[in-house]
Amino acid sequence: MANVIAEGARSVEGAEVTTYRVRDPVNGDVPDQYDEGVLDAPVITPATVQEADCIIIGAPGRQGAICAECKYFLDSLAEHQTAGCLLKGKVASAFTSVGGVGHGFGGHEAILQSYHSTFFQHGMIPVGVPPSPVMEDAVLASPFGVCLSGKARTDQSGARLRSLSESEVKLAYSQGEWAAQVAKQLHDSGETES
């Protein structure tokens, strides 16, 4: 889902987009715990967030809350809040996934609102999914952010599989595009190089 959101952000002229990952603070980088390609992404740091005009962050939910690994990272941003709101004015957006029988469940809107609460505490500008008729077709559509629904399954080799529905792809792309557009409007000086 992160890659689809990044594609949407890249579609905005002038947007420079990099996909990062959060390091597991307890287990570190244990390859068999991650889907293929995840560990190839660079690890995000508080300095990376401070340098960006826009961040779009997401992780799976756990019992209706942000997963511990991501929450640990967000908590590491506290010094930016107490040192004068260093993240103030940055555009921020969030996405998540929940699992369950059939369509998935797990408090996705509570998870997304938790991200937004963190953004507000830092003076950031939360951006969700722009209104779209596609929201009628996505099981867990929410204006707070896109959510991957359903339960992961395994293929014959034992690899975990989870795929976005067509509606989730459209919403994820539009969320990335919308966040990048808002960031461009807020942070683009309007000057052009000659």
Side-chain angles (χ1 to χ4, degrees), residues 132-168:
S132 165
V134 176
M135 292 180 111
E136 297 295 325
D137 300 326
V139 176
L140 297 178
S142 169
F144 295 108
V146 71
C147 179
L148 172 62
S149 64
K151 188 175 183 179
R153 56 186 169 71
T154 55
D155 66 9
Q156 294 174 349
S157 70
R160 292 181 315 160
L161 299 175
R162 197 163 186 187
S163 58
L164 296 167
S165 70
E166 183 179 335
S167 296
E168 290 168 338

PDB file of all heavy atoms in Angstrom, residues 132-168:
ATOM      1  N   SER A 132     -14.492  10.909  -2.614  1.00  0.00           N
ATOM      2  CA  SER A 132     -14.530  10.203  -3.892  1.00  0.00           C
ATOM      3  C   SER A 132     -15.670   9.198  -3.879  1.00  0.00           C
ATOM      4  O   SER A 132     -15.912   8.541  -2.863  1.00  0.00           O
ATOM      5  CB  SER A 132     -13.203   9.470  -4.106  1.00  0.00           C
ATOM      6  OG  SER A 132     -13.304   8.526  -5.134  1.00  0.00           O
ATOM      7  N   PRO A 133     -16.349   9.015  -5.021  1.00  0.00           N
ATOM      8  CA  PRO A 133     -17.378   7.983  -5.094  1.00  0.00           C
ATOM      9  C   PRO A 133     -16.802   6.578  -4.881  1.00  0.00           C
ATOM     10  O   PRO A 133     -17.526   5.649  -4.519  1.00  0.00           O
ATOM     11  CB  PRO A 133     -17.955   8.119  -6.499  1.00  0.00           C
ATOM     12  CG  PRO A 133     -17.365   9.327  -7.104  1.00  0.00           C
ATOM     13  CD  PRO A 133     -16.257   9.801  -6.229  1.00  0.00           C
ATOM     14  N   VAL A 134     -15.495   6.415  -5.070  1.00  0.00           N
ATOM     15  CA  VAL A 134     -14.839   5.120  -4.880  1.00  0.00           C
ATOM     16  C   VAL A 134     -14.983   4.654  -3.427  1.00  0.00           C
ATOM     17  O   VAL A 134     -14.983   3.466  -3.143  1.00  0.00           O
ATOM     18  CB  VAL A 134     -13.345   5.201  -5.294  1.00  0.00           C
ATOM     19  CG1 VAL A 134     -12.619   3.899  -5.010  1.00  0.00           C
ATOM     20  CG2 VAL A 134     -13.218   5.579  -6.755  1.00  0.00           C
ATOM     21  N   MET A 135     -15.161   5.599  -2.506  1.00  0.00           N
ATOM     22  CA  MET A 135     -15.292   5.241  -1.091  1.00  0.00           C
ATOM     23  C   MET A 135     -16.505   4.340  -0.854  1.00  0.00           C
ATOM     24  O   MET A 135     -16.516   3.570   0.102  1.00  0.00           O
ATOM     25  CB  MET A 135     -15.371   6.489  -0.220  1.00  0.00           C
ATOM     26  CG  MET A 135     -14.065   7.260  -0.193  1.00  0.00           C
ATOM     27  SD  MET A 135     -14.184   8.720   0.837  1.00  0.00           S
ATOM     28  CE  MET A 135     -13.122   8.216   2.171  1.00  0.00           C
ATOM     29  N   GLU A 136     -17.475   4.404  -1.722  1.00  0.00           N
ATOM     30  CA  GLU A 136     -18.659   3.556  -1.593  1.00  0.00           C
ATOM     31  C   GLU A 136     -18.327   2.080  -1.820  1.00  0.00           C
ATOM     32  O   GLU A 136     -19.034   1.204  -1.350  1.00  0.00           O
ATOM     33  CB  GLU A 136     -19.737   3.988  -2.592  1.00  0.00           C
ATOM     34  CG  GLU A 136     -20.265   5.388  -2.365  1.00  0.00           C
ATOM     35  CD  GLU A 136     -21.005   5.536  -1.049  1.00  0.00           C
ATOM     36  OE1 GLU A 136     -21.682   4.574  -0.629  1.00  0.00           O
ATOM     37  OE2 GLU A 136     -20.911   6.602  -0.434  1.00  0.00           O
ATOM     38  N   ASP A 137     -17.238   1.818  -2.558  1.00  0.00           N
ATOM     39  CA  ASP A 137     -16.886   0.451  -2.931  1.00  0.00           C
ATOM     40  C   ASP A 137     -15.821  -0.189  -2.046  1.00  0.00           C
ATOM     41  O   ASP A 137     -15.622  -1.395  -2.100  1.00  0.00           O
ATOM     42  CB  ASP A 137     -16.389   0.421  -4.383  1.00  0.00           C
ATOM     43  CG  ASP A 137     -17.433   0.919  -5.365  1.00  0.00           C
ATOM     44  OD1 ASP A 137     -18.629   0.688  -5.119  1.00  0.00           O
ATOM     45  OD2 ASP A 137     -17.045   1.540  -6.363  1.00  0.00           O
ATOM     46  N   ALA A 138     -15.117   0.609  -1.271  1.00  0.00           N
ATOM     47  CA  ALA A 138     -14.054   0.080  -0.415  1.00  0.00           C
ATOM     48  C   ALA A 138     -14.648  -0.240   0.957  1.00  0.00           C
ATOM     49  O   ALA A 138     -15.260   0.610   1.599  1.00  0.00           O
ATOM     50  CB  ALA A 138     -12.918   1.080  -0.293  1.00  0.00           C
ATOM     51  N   VAL A 139     -14.444  -1.451   1.401  1.00  0.00           N
ATOM     52  CA  VAL A 139     -15.070  -1.938   2.635  1.00  0.00           C
ATOM     53  C   VAL A 139     -14.769  -1.050   3.836  1.00  0.00           C
ATOM     54  O   VAL A 139     -15.652  -0.720   4.610  1.00  0.00           O
ATOM     55  CB  VAL A 139     -14.608  -3.390   2.924  1.00  0.00           C
ATOM     56  CG1 VAL A 139     -15.169  -3.891   4.233  1.00  0.00           C
ATOM     57  CG2 VAL A 139     -15.014  -4.294   1.781  1.00  0.00           C
ATOM     58  N   LEU A 140     -13.530  -0.641   4.013  1.00  0.00           N
ATOM     59  CA  LEU A 140     -13.146   0.154   5.180  1.00  0.00           C
ATOM     60  C   LEU A 140     -12.745   1.574   4.792  1.00  0.00           C
ATOM     61  O   LEU A 140     -11.866   2.179   5.411  1.00  0.00           O
ATOM     62  CB  LEU A 140     -12.009  -0.540   5.935  1.00  0.00           C
ATOM     63  CG  LEU A 140     -12.358  -1.909   6.511  1.00  0.00           C
ATOM     64  CD1 LEU A 140     -11.144  -2.539   7.190  1.00  0.00           C
ATOM     65  CD2 LEU A 140     -13.511  -1.823   7.482  1.00  0.00           C
ATOM     66  N   ALA A 141     -13.393   2.135   3.787  1.00  0.00           N
ATOM     67  CA  ALA A 141     -13.077   3.493   3.343  1.00  0.00           C
ATOM     68  C   ALA A 141     -13.294   4.481   4.477  1.00  0.00           C
ATOM     69  O   ALA A 141     -14.237   4.352   5.261  1.00  0.00           O
ATOM     70  CB  ALA A 141     -13.941   3.860   2.150  1.00  0.00           C
ATOM     71  N   SER A 142     -12.392   5.446   4.575  1.00  0.00           N
ATOM     72  CA  SER A 142     -12.479   6.459   5.622  1.00  0.00           C
ATOM     73  C   SER A 142     -11.805   7.737   5.131  1.00  0.00           C
ATOM     74  O   SER A 142     -10.757   7.671   4.491  1.00  0.00           O
ATOM     75  CB  SER A 142     -11.758   5.978   6.883  1.00  0.00           C
ATOM     76  OG  SER A 142     -11.623   7.036   7.803  1.00  0.00           O
ATOM     77  N   PRO A 143     -12.366   8.886   5.462  1.00  0.00           N
ATOM     78  CA  PRO A 143     -11.694  10.127   5.097  1.00  0.00           C
ATOM     79  C   PRO A 143     -10.406  10.358   5.895  1.00  0.00           C
ATOM     80  O   PRO A 143      -9.586  11.173   5.521  1.00  0.00           O
ATOM     81  CB  PRO A 143     -12.739  11.208   5.420  1.00  0.00           C
ATOM     82  CG  PRO A 143     -13.645  10.591   6.429  1.00  0.00           C
ATOM     83  CD  PRO A 143     -13.648   9.122   6.132  1.00  0.00           C
ATOM     84  N   PHE A 144     -10.204   9.603   6.984  1.00  0.00           N
ATOM     85  CA  PHE A 144      -8.997   9.764   7.800  1.00  0.00           C
ATOM     86  C   PHE A 144      -7.756   9.166   7.142  1.00  0.00           C
ATOM     87  O   PHE A 144      -6.639   9.532   7.472  1.00  0.00           O
ATOM     88  CB  PHE A 144      -9.192   9.125   9.179  1.00  0.00           C
ATOM     89  CG  PHE A 144     -10.247   9.792   9.999  1.00  0.00           C
ATOM     90  CD1 PHE A 144     -11.459   9.168  10.229  1.00  0.00           C
ATOM     91  CD2 PHE A 144     -10.044  11.053  10.528  1.00  0.00           C
ATOM     92  CE1 PHE A 144     -12.439   9.777  10.986  1.00  0.00           C
ATOM     93  CE2 PHE A 144     -11.023  11.682  11.284  1.00  0.00           C
ATOM     94  CZ  PHE A 144     -12.233  11.043  11.503  1.00  0.00           C
ATOM     95  N   GLY A 145      -7.931   8.214   6.244  1.00  0.00           N
ATOM     96  CA  GLY A 145      -6.808   7.567   5.579  1.00  0.00           C
ATOM     97  C   GLY A 145      -7.239   6.230   5.027  1.00  0.00           C
ATOM     98  O   GLY A 145      -8.280   5.684   5.408  1.00  0.00           O
ATOM     99  N   VAL A 146      -6.428   5.706   4.136  1.00  0.00           N
ATOM    100  CA  VAL A 146      -6.780   4.438   3.495  1.00  0.00           C
ATOM    101  C   VAL A 146      -6.432   3.269   4.416  1.00  0.00           C
ATOM    102  O   VAL A 146      -5.510   3.360   5.227  1.00  0.00           O
ATOM    103  CB  VAL A 146      -6.098   4.322   2.108  1.00  0.00           C
ATOM    104  CG1 VAL A 146      -4.619   4.103   2.220  1.00  0.00           C
ATOM    105  CG2 VAL A 146      -6.728   3.259   1.255  1.00  0.00           C
ATOM    106  N   CYS A 147      -7.203   2.201   4.303  1.00  0.00           N
ATOM    107  CA  CYS A 147      -7.003   1.022   5.142  1.00  0.00           C
ATOM    108  C   CYS A 147      -7.095  -0.234   4.283  1.00  0.00           C
ATOM    109  O   CYS A 147      -8.064  -0.420   3.551  1.00  0.00           O
ATOM    110  CB  CYS A 147      -8.060   0.977   6.241  1.00  0.00           C
ATOM    111  SG  CYS A 147      -7.904  -0.471   7.310  1.00  0.00           S
ATOM    112  N   LEU A 148      -6.098  -1.083   4.387  1.00  0.00           N
ATOM    113  CA  LEU A 148      -6.123  -2.393   3.740  1.00  0.00           C
ATOM    114  C   LEU A 148      -6.920  -3.319   4.637  1.00  0.00           C
ATOM    115  O   LEU A 148      -6.647  -3.439   5.828  1.00  0.00           O
ATOM    116  CB  LEU A 148      -4.698  -2.916   3.567  1.00  0.00           C
ATOM    117  CG  LEU A 148      -4.526  -4.356   3.080  1.00  0.00           C
ATOM    118  CD1 LEU A 148      -5.117  -4.533   1.687  1.00  0.00           C
ATOM    119  CD2 LEU A 148      -3.059  -4.737   3.082  1.00  0.00           C
ATOM    120  N   SER A 149      -7.929  -3.952   4.069  1.00  0.00           N
ATOM    121  CA  SER A 149      -8.787  -4.814   4.875  1.00  0.00           C
ATOM    122  C   SER A 149      -8.498  -6.279   4.591  1.00  0.00           C
ATOM    123  O   SER A 149      -7.836  -6.619   3.626  1.00  0.00           O
ATOM    124  CB  SER A 149     -10.258  -4.509   4.593  1.00  0.00           C
ATOM    125  OG  SER A 149     -10.569  -4.805   3.249  1.00  0.00           O
ATOM    126  N   GLY A 150      -9.036  -7.110   5.430  1.00  0.00           N
ATOM    127  CA  GLY A 150      -8.949  -8.543   5.192  1.00  0.00           C
ATOM    128  C   GLY A 150      -7.790  -9.216   5.866  1.00  0.00           C
ATOM    129  O   GLY A 150      -6.920  -8.595   6.439  1.00  0.00           O
ATOM    130  N   LYS A 151      -7.813 -10.509   5.758  1.00  0.00           N
ATOM    131  CA  LYS A 151      -6.829 -11.354   6.418  1.00  0.00           C
ATOM    132  C   LYS A 151      -5.763 -11.796   5.412  1.00  0.00           C
ATOM    133  O   LYS A 151      -6.074 -12.152   4.283  1.00  0.00           O
ATOM    134  CB  LYS A 151      -7.543 -12.579   6.997  1.00  0.00           C
ATOM    135  CG  LYS A 151      -6.686 -13.437   7.854  1.00  0.00           C
ATOM    136  CD  LYS A 151      -7.510 -14.546   8.476  1.00  0.00           C
ATOM    137  CE  LYS A 151      -6.658 -15.376   9.399  1.00  0.00           C
ATOM    138  NZ  LYS A 151      -7.431 -16.432  10.028  1.00  0.00           N
ATOM    139  N   ALA A 152      -4.520 -11.769   5.838  1.00  0.00           N
ATOM    140  CA  ALA A 152      -3.440 -12.254   4.989  1.00  0.00           C
ATOM    141  C   ALA A 152      -3.593 -13.764   4.792  1.00  0.00           C
ATOM    142  O   ALA A 152      -4.051 -14.470   5.674  1.00  0.00           O
ATOM    143  CB  ALA A 152      -2.085 -11.949   5.631  1.00  0.00           C
ATOM    144  N   ARG A 153      -3.231 -14.235   3.623  1.00  0.00           N
ATOM    145  CA  ARG A 153      -3.254 -15.671   3.345  1.00  0.00           C
ATOM    146  C   ARG A 153      -1.851 -16.069   2.904  1.00  0.00           C
ATOM    147  O   ARG A 153      -1.018 -15.219   2.639  1.00  0.00           O
ATOM    148  CB  ARG A 153      -4.294 -15.994   2.272  1.00  0.00           C
ATOM    149  CG  ARG A 153      -4.122 -15.242   0.986  1.00  0.00           C
ATOM    150  CD  ARG A 153      -5.285 -15.498   0.022  1.00  0.00           C
ATOM    151  NE  ARG A 153      -5.270 -14.608  -1.097  1.00  0.00           N
ATOM    152  CZ  ARG A 153      -4.403 -14.612  -2.104  1.00  0.00           C
ATOM    153  NH1 ARG A 153      -3.427 -15.486  -2.115  1.00  0.00           N
ATOM    154  NH2 ARG A 153      -4.480 -13.759  -3.079  1.00  0.00           N
ATOM    155  N   THR A 154      -1.589 -17.347   2.852  1.00  0.00           N
ATOM    156  CA  THR A 154      -0.273 -17.809   2.418  1.00  0.00           C
ATOM    157  C   THR A 154      -0.409 -18.577   1.110  1.00  0.00           C
ATOM    158  O   THR A 154      -1.418 -19.243   0.858  1.00  0.00           O
ATOM    159  CB  THR A 154       0.384 -18.717   3.475  1.00  0.00           C
ATOM    160  OG1 THR A 154      -0.496 -19.791   3.782  1.00  0.00           O
ATOM    161  CG2 THR A 154       0.672 -17.948   4.742  1.00  0.00           C
ATOM    162  N   ASP A 155       0.625 -18.463   0.288  1.00  0.00           N
ATOM    163  CA  ASP A 155       0.617 -19.221  -0.970  1.00  0.00           C
ATOM    164  C   ASP A 155       1.244 -20.599  -0.724  1.00  0.00           C
ATOM    165  O   ASP A 155       1.555 -20.965   0.404  1.00  0.00           O
ATOM    166  CB  ASP A 155       1.321 -18.452  -2.085  1.00  0.00           C
ATOM    167  CG  ASP A 155       2.816 -18.268  -1.852  1.00  0.00           C
ATOM    168  OD1 ASP A 155       3.367 -18.881  -0.904  1.00  0.00           O
ATOM    169  OD2 ASP A 155       3.443 -17.536  -2.623  1.00  0.00           O
ATOM    170  N   GLN A 156       1.442 -21.368  -1.792  1.00  0.00           N
ATOM    171  CA  GLN A 156       1.962 -22.731  -1.660  1.00  0.00           C
ATOM    172  C   GLN A 156       3.355 -22.773  -1.061  1.00  0.00           C
ATOM    173  O   GLN A 156       3.737 -23.748  -0.437  1.00  0.00           O
ATOM    174  CB  GLN A 156       1.942 -23.424  -3.020  1.00  0.00           C
ATOM    175  CG  GLN A 156       0.525 -23.638  -3.526  1.00  0.00           C
ATOM    176  CD  GLN A 156       0.524 -24.196  -4.941  1.00  0.00           C
ATOM    177  OE1 GLN A 156       1.541 -24.239  -5.616  1.00  0.00           O
ATOM    178  NE2 GLN A 156      -0.653 -24.618  -5.393  1.00  0.00           N
ATOM    179  N   SER A 157       4.129 -21.688  -1.257  1.00  0.00           N
ATOM    180  CA  SER A 157       5.490 -21.672  -0.716  1.00  0.00           C
ATOM    181  C   SER A 157       5.529 -21.216   0.746  1.00  0.00           C
ATOM    182  O   SER A 157       6.580 -21.221   1.366  1.00  0.00           O
ATOM    183  CB  SER A 157       6.372 -20.747  -1.559  1.00  0.00           C
ATOM    184  OG  SER A 157       5.988 -19.393  -1.351  1.00  0.00           O
ATOM    185  N   GLY A 158       4.367 -20.781   1.282  1.00  0.00           N
ATOM    186  CA  GLY A 158       4.316 -20.313   2.660  1.00  0.00           C
ATOM    187  C   GLY A 158       4.463 -18.800   2.780  1.00  0.00           C
ATOM    188  O   GLY A 158       4.430 -18.261   3.881  1.00  0.00           O
ATOM    189  N   ALA A 159       4.625 -18.100   1.649  1.00  0.00           N
ATOM    190  CA  ALA A 159       4.753 -16.646   1.679  1.00  0.00           C
ATOM    191  C   ALA A 159       3.404 -16.013   2.005  1.00  0.00           C
ATOM    192  O   ALA A 159       2.367 -16.476   1.540  1.00  0.00           O
ATOM    193  CB  ALA A 159       5.259 -16.132   0.329  1.00  0.00           C
ATOM    194  N   ARG A 160       3.454 -14.956   2.822  1.00  0.00           N
ATOM    195  CA  ARG A 160       2.226 -14.239   3.168  1.00  0.00           C
ATOM    196  C   ARG A 160       1.782 -13.385   1.985  1.00  0.00           C
ATOM    197  O   ARG A 160       2.587 -12.679   1.386  1.00  0.00           O
ATOM    198  CB  ARG A 160       2.445 -13.327   4.363  1.00  0.00           C
ATOM    199  CG  ARG A 160       2.693 -14.076   5.635  1.00  0.00           C
ATOM    200  CD  ARG A 160       2.887 -13.157   6.805  1.00  0.00           C
ATOM    201  NE  ARG A 160       3.788 -12.058   6.454  1.00  0.00           N
ATOM    202  CZ  ARG A 160       3.841 -10.919   7.114  1.00  0.00           C
ATOM    203  NH1 ARG A 160       3.065 -10.707   8.115  1.00  0.00           N
ATOM    204  NH2 ARG A 160       4.689  -9.977   6.765  1.00  0.00           N
ATOM    205  N   LEU A 161       0.507 -13.441   1.678  1.00  0.00           N
ATOM    206  CA  LEU A 161      -0.042 -12.646   0.587  1.00  0.00           C
ATOM    207  C   LEU A 161      -1.189 -11.799   1.106  1.00  0.00           C
ATOM    208  O   LEU A 161      -2.010 -12.260   1.877  1.00  0.00           O
ATOM    209  CB  LEU A 161      -0.571 -13.549  -0.533  1.00  0.00           C
ATOM    210  CG  LEU A 161       0.426 -14.464  -1.208  1.00  0.00           C
ATOM    211  CD1 LEU A 161      -0.288 -15.362  -2.205  1.00  0.00           C
ATOM    212  CD2 LEU A 161       1.496 -13.648  -1.910  1.00  0.00           C
ATOM    213  N   ARG A 162      -1.212 -10.600   0.665  1.00  0.00           N
ATOM    214  CA  ARG A 162      -2.306  -9.700   0.987  1.00  0.00           C
ATOM    215  C   ARG A 162      -2.339  -8.677  -0.129  1.00  0.00           C
ATOM    216  O   ARG A 162      -1.326  -8.059  -0.426  1.00  0.00           O
ATOM    217  CB  ARG A 162      -2.021  -9.025   2.320  1.00  0.00           C
ATOM    218  CG  ARG A 162      -3.234  -8.411   2.918  1.00  0.00           C
ATOM    219  CD  ARG A 162      -2.959  -8.153   4.380  1.00  0.00           C
ATOM    220  NE  ARG A 162      -4.173  -7.685   5.005  1.00  0.00           N
ATOM    221  CZ  ARG A 162      -4.229  -7.245   6.223  1.00  0.00           C
ATOM    222  NH1 ARG A 162      -3.150  -7.224   6.950  1.00  0.00           N
ATOM    223  NH2 ARG A 162      -5.345  -6.829   6.731  1.00  0.00           N
ATOM    224  N   SER A 163      -3.460  -8.524  -0.752  1.00  0.00           N
ATOM    225  CA  SER A 163      -3.493  -7.605  -1.873  1.00  0.00           C
ATOM    226  C   SER A 163      -4.602  -6.583  -1.707  1.00  0.00           C
ATOM    227  O   SER A 163      -5.619  -6.833  -1.052  1.00  0.00           O
ATOM    228  CB  SER A 163      -3.679  -8.377  -3.182  1.00  0.00           C
ATOM    229  OG  SER A 163      -4.861  -9.137  -3.136  1.00  0.00           O
ATOM    230  N   LEU A 164      -4.372  -5.422  -2.293  1.00  0.00           N
ATOM    231  CA  LEU A 164      -5.342  -4.345  -2.266  1.00  0.00           C
ATOM    232  C   LEU A 164      -6.451  -4.618  -3.263  1.00  0.00           C
ATOM    233  O   LEU A 164      -6.200  -5.130  -4.349  1.00  0.00           O
ATOM    234  CB  LEU A 164      -4.675  -3.021  -2.657  1.00  0.00           C
ATOM    235  CG  LEU A 164      -3.596  -2.492  -1.721  1.00  0.00           C
ATOM    236  CD1 LEU A 164      -2.820  -1.371  -2.405  1.00  0.00           C
ATOM    237  CD2 LEU A 164      -4.215  -1.987  -0.443  1.00  0.00           C
ATOM    238  N   SER A 165      -7.668  -4.249  -2.903  1.00  0.00           N
ATOM    239  CA  SER A 165      -8.764  -4.308  -3.861  1.00  0.00           C
ATOM    240  C   SER A 165      -8.577  -3.151  -4.845  1.00  0.00           C
ATOM    241  O   SER A 165      -7.796  -2.222  -4.598  1.00  0.00           O
ATOM    242  CB  SER A 165     -10.110  -4.168  -3.150  1.00  0.00           C
ATOM    243  OG  SER A 165     -10.271  -2.841  -2.674  1.00  0.00           O
ATOM    244  N   GLU A 166      -9.275  -3.195  -5.943  1.00  0.00           N
ATOM    245  CA  GLU A 166      -9.189  -2.118  -6.931  1.00  0.00           C
ATOM    246  C   GLU A 166      -9.560  -0.775  -6.294  1.00  0.00           C
ATOM    247  O   GLU A 166      -8.911   0.243  -6.539  1.00  0.00           O
ATOM    248  CB  GLU A 166     -10.111  -2.419  -8.109  1.00  0.00           C
ATOM    249  CG  GLU A 166     -10.031  -1.395  -9.221  1.00  0.00           C
ATOM    250  CD  GLU A 166     -10.942  -1.729 -10.397  1.00  0.00           C
ATOM    251  OE1 GLU A 166     -11.273  -2.905 -10.600  1.00  0.00           O
ATOM    252  OE2 GLU A 166     -11.323  -0.782 -11.107  1.00  0.00           O
ATOM    253  N   SER A 167     -10.570  -0.768  -5.451  1.00  0.00           N
ATOM    254  CA  SER A 167     -10.992   0.469  -4.776  1.00  0.00           C
ATOM    255  C   SER A 167      -9.915   0.965  -3.814  1.00  0.00           C
ATOM    256  O   SER A 167      -9.649   2.166  -3.725  1.00  0.00           O
ATOM    257  CB  SER A 167     -12.298   0.247  -4.019  1.00  0.00           C
ATOM    258  OG  SER A 167     -13.336  -0.062  -4.896  1.00  0.00           O
ATOM    259  N   GLU A 168      -9.285   0.049  -3.087  1.00  0.00           N
ATOM    260  CA  GLU A 168      -8.218   0.441  -2.163  1.00  0.00           C
ATOM    261  C   GLU A 168      -7.034   1.031  -2.918  1.00  0.00           C
ATOM    262  O   GLU A 168      -6.415   1.995  -2.455  1.00  0.00           O
ATOM    263  CB  GLU A 168      -7.783  -0.752  -1.314  1.00  0.00           C
ATOM    264  CG  GLU A 168      -8.828  -1.180  -0.300  1.00  0.00           C
ATOM    265  CD  GLU A 168      -8.555  -2.523   0.351  1.00  0.00           C
ATOM    266  OE1 GLU A 168      -7.802  -3.349  -0.215  1.00  0.00           O
ATOM    267  OE2 GLU A 168      -9.107  -2.771   1.435  1.00  0.00           O
TER     268      GLU A 168
END
